[in-house]
Amino acid sequence: MNTALTLETDAAQLCCEPSSQPVLNAVDAQESARVLKALSDPNRLRLLSIVKAGDGGEACVCDLTEPLDLGQPTVSHHLKILVDAGLLEREKRGTWAYYSLVPGALEAASARILGL
């Protein structure tokens, strides 16, 4: 014969009080992971740094391959990830694409980390 044991816990038996601090919901966790994943690659961090240091806070894609010593398709892949994560924005000018930081994006990424 199977008998199920029922454990009843009252407030006095709890090991600690539940936190009243807000926790990260699933949607915010997903968005934070997307941004942090984009930042987790050394080449992408270097790209952000190069773009930020560029004249007027922007850089042409033609100027981004040499400093990283990577091929154009690889650099384009990294740039796409940064754009998709909302960290960079892309502007097409003739045959070239220029990248700049999205205003407030790095501060928002920092706030996501500090808000955990």
Side-chain angles (χ1 to χ4, degrees):
M1 173 153 93
N2 280 339
T3 58
L5 297 177
T6 304
L7 298 176
E8 294 184 27
T9 306
D10 63 16
Q13 293 175 317
L14 292 176
C15 67
C16 56
E17 291 291 320
S19 175
S20 62
Q21 296 295 320
V23 297
L24 199 60
N25 66 44
V27 172
D28 289 340
Q30 189 75 11
E31 178 61 20
S32 293
R34 187 172 63 87
V35 171
L36 296 176
K37 185 176 180 181
L39 292 171
S40 71
D41 184 276
N43 290 312
R44 291 193 284 267
L45 289 174
R46 290 187 64 205
L47 283 168
L48 286 172
S49 176
I50 293 167
V51 169
K52 184 177 179 188
D55 290 338
E58 66 180 13
C60 177
V61 70
C62 61
D63 297 326
L64 298 174
T65 55
E66 188 178 325
L68 272 61
D69 197 29
L70 297 172
Q72 183 274 328
T74 303
V75 171
S76 291
H77 168 73
H78 287 305
L79 290 167
K80 180 181 181 335
I81 290 171
L82 292 168
V83 169
D84 290 347
L87 297 166
L88 288 180
E89 51 192 12
R90 179 180 184 264
E91 180 185 341
K92 186 91 164 150
R93 297 182 198 159
T95 59
W96 296 108
Y98 286 78
Y99 291 86
S100 59
L101 287 172
V102 171
L106 294 179
E107 294 79 5
S110 176
R112 285 183 183 281
I113 294 168
L114 295 172
L116 294 176

